[in-house]
Amino acid sequence: QWYQRRVRGVKMGNLLQLLKREDSNNFRLPDNVFLDFENALPIPSDEDLYQDVEKTLDKRTEILESLRSYYGATEPIREAIKYNDNDEAQVAAWKAVCPLVTRLNQYYQYSMELEEKVMALLNALCAVPSMESLESHQALSKQFAIVLDFVLAFDDLKMTNPSIQNDFSFYRRMRNRVKSLADAEEHSVSNEVANRMSMFYAYPTPMLKMLSNTVSTFVQKNEALPLEHTTDILSTMANLCRCMIEDPTIVARFQQKDTVMFVMRVMVGAIILYDHVHPVGAFHRKSCIDIKGSIKLLKDQPAVSVDTLLNALRYSTMHANDEETPGAVKKLLAEQ
């Protein structure tokens, strides 16, 4: 018997029951199923957590816009390296890089704030099996999807901007030297914070690393909780997103033009995170995610809109090139 919950007149229980089947690779979306990523509202018991998380998520657009406009201090740093004995060049580069490091610290501080909220979301979403959780806590599930979307967007911008690593490396080298330069003021970032920032930005995908570490920490702190409660949230969300995009009647219900891309980014984010935290990953034959179907879905879209998502699957996952990954999946993913 189906356990049904009406969300804007749609039967979610049917979908979640079918998504839970072991043979998820052969799953096809039943009629009249829709998970509302656009307008889901919290149930009364989730209201406080939802509002608390929302305050953090409201900052994400500003963070991304700031990172998108990050142009670096390439020229002053080049001059400082070229004229290493010229104090004026050193001071000019230091003054150019300090405001940028302030911005990098803002991004890092936001990652720690986001980590705290993700832990709270996991506590709510993973307390029960994934079917019941996604059905009962749709607004929190939407927020977790927004986190996945943000993580992909942030890391894509970071990976394509080498100035971030160059600026911070120069900053670290100059911290001690600046004390001997008369016209250079010390920066407000402490050594302890600078060290943590260095570890954060050393990763090509720092937000994904934060997120995967948070999920792993959550699992370790909740040993009595079945691991599947956590990993099934990710696999179910990935399969759900794929199935929604595959069904034109579902896509027709979207009210915002960018929802299709949002759902595909969430699908990819869930796959990548699952691949980082599940013992055998997302590409294994026994994975609960239809990885081949997910890749095919992306390749059916205009290349310009999904290239970054395909590259994320190629280069940000852990198990894509494992021996256990089926050759057909490797070939499909490698094809340009």
Side-chain angles (χ1 to χ4, degrees), residues 99-301:
L100 297 172
V101 171
T102 297
R103 289 168 67 175
L104 294 178
N105 186 31
Q106 290 172 347
Y107 310 155
Y108 169 67
Q109 297 297 332
Y110 184 70
S111 78
M112 293 196 295
E113 182 180 347
L114 198 60
E115 176 182 351
E116 178 185 338
K117 306 310 178 187
V118 168
M119 190 69 76
L121 286 174
L122 291 173
N123 274 316
L125 292 173
C126 299
V128 295
S130 62
M131 293 183 293
E132 182 181 344
S133 179
L134 289 178
E135 187 161 9
S136 301
H137 306 285
Q138 289 198 40
L140 300 184
S141 301
K142 179 186 72 173
Q143 288 183 319
F144 189 75
I146 291 172
V147 171
L148 292 173
D149 179 52
F150 168 80
V151 165
L152 279 185
F154 183 95
D155 285 347
D156 181 56
L157 290 170
K158 191 268 182 182
M159 283 192 295
T160 55
N161 192 340
S163 292
I164 291 174
Q165 199 66 37
N166 294 337
D167 291 350
F168 197 72
S169 295
F170 177 81
Y171 172 82
R172 292 294 303 279
R173 293 196 303 270
M174 283 291 294
R175 279 185 68 91
N176 291 327
R177 183 177 178 180
V178 75
K179 297 175 183 178
S180 65
L181 300 175
D183 295 329
E185 297 180 359
E186 291 192 44
H187 194 237
S188 58
V189 173
S190 68
N191 280 325
E192 181 183 357
V193 172
N195 289 335
R196 294 202 302 263
M197 289 173 62
S198 181
M199 290 186 288
F200 178 75
Y201 287 109
Y203 290 99
T205 53
M207 285 292 177
L208 174 62
K209 180 64 176 176
M210 174 278 295
L211 191 57
S212 60
N213 284 348
T214 302
V215 175
S216 297
T217 300
F218 171 80
V219 171
Q220 292 167 7
K221 287 183 175 180
N222 296 272
E223 294 181 354
L225 194 68
L227 175 64
E228 292 76 15
H229 281 201
T230 305
T231 56
D232 283 358
I233 287 287
L234 301 173
S235 61
T236 302
M237 186 170 286
N239 287 329
L240 173 59
C241 289
R242 172 183 56 80
C243 292
M244 289 173 65
I245 299 301
E246 285 178 342
D247 191 329
T249 62
I250 297 297
V251 174
R253 299 186 190 185
F254 294 154
Q255 299 173 345
Q256 301 170 18
K257 61 181 181 180
D258 61 345
T259 299
V260 170
M261 280 305 305
F262 172 81
V263 174
M264 286 194 289
R265 289 194 301 267
V266 172
M267 177 189 76
V268 170
I271 291 171
I272 293 172
L273 187 55
Y274 180 96
D275 194 57
H276 277 252
V277 301
H278 193 278
V280 299
F283 296 86
H284 196 277
R285 286 179 175 84
K286 294 184 179 180
S287 168
C288 293
I289 294 175
D290 181 0
I291 191 66
K292 191 173 182 180
S294 300
I295 297 171
K296 285 182 176 179
L297 173 66
L298 294 174
K299 289 192 172 254
D300 286 342
Q301 313 303 316

